[in-house]
Amino acid sequence: MAVKIKTQYGTIDITNEVIATVVGGAATDNYGVVGMASKNQIRDNVNDILRRENYARGVVVRQEDNGVAIDVYVIVSYGTKISEVSRNVQSKVKYNLETMLGVTANSVNVVVQGVRVLAD
């Protein structure tokens, strides 16, 4: 599925992979987020942090009537306030989707898949 935006010049199709990449970049740009996690860790057999080219594995995009619903799977840093980090992720993802793609995020659900202790 893709998001279709109609303009006076024609139609713009934005695929879910593009949306997932923008969401992943916005999520990992926040303080306290170590990286993205796979949404299906057992099936993907991935317990590591996803690289930039695999952000689509850690994001679920669902089309709704007047926008999209996003699920973001992240790993946070030990010692940070998880609720505040999640709130920041929601805010940044929503902002980046609206400014970069012109797509409205109706909901941004953050799922914390793990906590990592970072070495100094």
Side-chain angles (χ1 to χ4, degrees):
M1 294 281 299
V3 175
K4 295 184 185 288
I5 301 172
K6 295 186 188 215
T7 66
Q8 63 185 7
Y9 303 112
T11 306
I12 301 170
D13 291 338
I14 303 173
T15 65
N16 286 350
E17 288 77 24
V18 171
I19 294 171
T21 302
V22 170
V23 168
T28 56
D29 201 28
N30 286 292
Y31 174 79
V33 176
V34 176
M36 300 287 295
S38 175
K39 62 186 174 270
N40 296 319
Q41 287 184 345
I42 295 172
R43 189 192 75 195
D44 291 344
N45 199 16
V46 175
N47 199 17
D48 293 333
I49 298 170
L50 297 175
R51 298 184 200 278
R52 185 172 302 274
E53 60 270 5
N54 292 328
Y55 280 167
R57 288 170 130 187
V59 177
V60 176
V61 180
R62 293 183 309 278
Q63 272 74 28
E64 293 182 343
D65 294 335
N66 55 352
V68 294
I70 306 288
D71 296 337
V72 185
Y73 294 80
V74 297
I75 298 172
V76 297
S77 175
Y78 179 80
T80 58
K81 188 172 182 181
I82 294 174
S83 62
E84 194 62 33
V85 171
S86 299
R87 211 170 290 120
N88 290 341
V89 168
Q90 288 174 325
S91 161
K92 183 114 182 202
V93 164
K94 201 170 174 87
Y95 175 79
N96 278 12
L97 282 175
E98 289 173 3
T99 57
M100 295 172 99
L101 302 177
V103 174
T104 304
N106 295 335
S107 64
V108 178
N109 304 312
V110 179
V111 180
V112 179
Q113 289 279 62
V115 177
R116 293 277 168 95
V117 177
L118 297 178
D120 293 331

